Amino acid sequence: MPEAPPWRRFGHRDAPQTSALPNDPYRPYLIDQPQVDVVNAALHLRRPLLVTGHPGTGKSSLAYAIAHELDLGRVLRWPVNSRSTLAEALYQYDAVGRLRETTLSQDRGDQPPDIGRFIRLGPLGTALLPGDRPRVLLVDELDKGDVDLPNDLLTVFEEGEFEIPELSRLPAGQDAALVHTIRSTETQPVVGGLVRCREFPIVVITSNGEREFPPAFLRRCLRLHLPDPDERRLRAIVAAHLGPDSVAQVDDLIQTFLARRAPGELATDQLLNAAHLRLGGVDLDAEGLLEAVLHQLGGAV
């Protein structure tokens, strides 16, 4: 097997991952100064960043780049779909599992299990845990969610807290529990059922522009549009990912990419795929191969 491209190396699943990125080595991220200024403004204001742009312009990668640059650990990712709800992003409570384990404990004459064993925080809930440094939360493709989901997020984004009723209903003195975070081996104490951040998380929300968001939601976000990279930026991206000597070897691919690209019809990572194949000795002139790599993203398949 040939070596995988740098952006498709995932490492060993069982190995500890301390990098902000799921892949190693770090993938360079290039944007111009106007976009950098908007990102910095969102960081200073502690406001969510709503990122739009065509597929492949680097919307999701921006969250990983921020986490890497500020050394904030691994990104918490919430991939939104039509069934996503605010509740599941905050936490999940396994009531059936707790009932089963409690019954078994009673049959054995043991103490009932702690309720915290059956509560797992979701990506948003984990991001709101108190800490000395903010966590980075990627809310990916919010426009694919239910029409009411942006409004559901307003209170949480404004207050920076949420309640776990299963814990808040417990008597005083018995309302402290170690709950699981979205990380499989990590637990955090929660008292009184209230989770409140000390540092509001860095929230990057991506949207492909499939629908509009309500004004109340937009008011609480800073908006950033990532344009399609021009020829200068494409050359810089190829050099950053595949080395400065690679640009001259794939110049014709860059020109072909630019000639075929219409707004939203080709993504930058398709150019990187073609360039990686060329540099690996693959003949892209073979029948249908270049078309398979640089295929149009729109229309029926």
Side-chain angles (χ1 to χ4, degrees):
M1 288 292 292
E3 186 176 5
W7 52 91
R8 294 297 296 170
R9 298 172 190 166
F10 300 98
H12 296 289
R13 185 176 297 273
D14 297 330
Q17 298 187 34
T18 57
S19 170
L21 286 168
N23 300 346
D24 189 28
Y26 168 65
R27 292 171 291 178
Y29 190 82
L30 304 175
I31 53 175
D32 291 324
Q33 191 60 45
Q35 289 81 47
V36 173
D37 292 340
V38 176
V39 173
N40 287 333
L43 297 179
H44 281 287
L45 295 172
R46 302 300 198 273
R47 287 292 186 181
L49 190 63
L50 178 60
V51 187
T52 58
H54 292 132
T57 51
K59 299 187 296 295
S60 301
S61 299
L62 177 59
Y64 295 99
I66 293 173
H68 175 83
E69 292 293 334
L70 301 180
D71 194 22
L72 294 176
R74 295 185 62 193
V75 172
L76 302 167
R77 180 171 177 263
W78 178 20
V80 176
N81 58 51
S82 60
R83 299 177 300 279
S84 297
T85 64
L86 173 62
E88 70 177 22
L90 293 174
Y91 77 99
Q92 292 181 334
Y93 172 55
D94 185 5
V96 175
R98 185 188 181 200
L99 177 61
R100 181 181 63 249
E101 292 296 323
T102 300
T103 301
L104 292 174
S105 298
Q106 291 174 345
D107 293 342
R108 295 192 300 263
D110 299 333
Q111 290 292 323
D114 185 79
I115 187 175
R117 287 177 49 190
F118 307 96
I119 295 175
R120 181 175 297 278
L121 301 181
L124 177 55
T126 300
L128 291 172
L129 284 169
D132 295 330
R133 305 193 71 194
R135 297 168 176 85
V136 179
L137 172 67
L138 170 60
V139 183
D140 215 4
E141 299 188 334
L142 181 62
D143 51 330
K144 292 188 181 301
D146 183 82
V147 65
D148 292 325
L149 185 56
N151 283 326
D152 294 341
L153 289 167
L154 292 180
T155 300
V156 175
F157 282 169
E158 197 66 24
E159 303 296 334
E161 66 181 33
F162 70 97
E163 183 184 58
I164 302 177
E166 290 80 5
L167 296 180
S168 61
R169 289 195 292 260
L170 296 176
Q174 302 178 27
D175 55 354
L178 280 176
V179 303
H180 295 275
T181 72
I182 196 172
R183 310 295 187 207
S184 58
T185 60
E186 183 182 74
T187 58
Q188 289 286 334
V190 174
V191 179
L194 183 65
V195 177
R196 175 184 294 163
C197 66
R198 286 201 293 268
E199 287 286 343
F200 189 79
I202 297 171
V203 182
V204 176
I205 304 170
T206 71
S207 169
N208 289 318
E210 295 185 2
R211 64 177 175 84
E212 296 182 353
F213 296 116
F217 175 79
L218 294 176
R219 181 174 66 83
R220 290 164 171 83
C221 301
L222 268 70
R223 302 182 66 174
L224 172 64
H225 181 76
L226 296 179
D228 294 328
D230 57 15
E231 182 175 351
R232 175 188 62 85
R233 176 63 67 200
L234 288 174
R235 291 177 179 275
I237 291 172
V238 171
H241 284 80
L242 299 172
D245 296 335
S246 64
V247 179
Q249 302 178 57
V250 299
D251 182 74
D252 61 318
L253 292 178
I254 296 176
Q255 299 304 322
T256 299
F257 178 84
L258 289 169
R260 294 187 177 196
R261 184 178 69 179
E265 292 296 326
L266 286 178
T268 306
D269 59 347
Q270 292 176 280
L271 172 61
L272 291 174
N273 290 337
H276 177 76
L277 291 175
R278 165 72 62 78
L279 297 172
V282 176
D283 180 14
L284 288 173
D285 293 329
E287 182 178 357
L289 182 54
L290 185 60
E291 285 71 20
V293 177
L294 298 183
H295 61 85
Q296 300 292 314
L297 301 181
V301 177

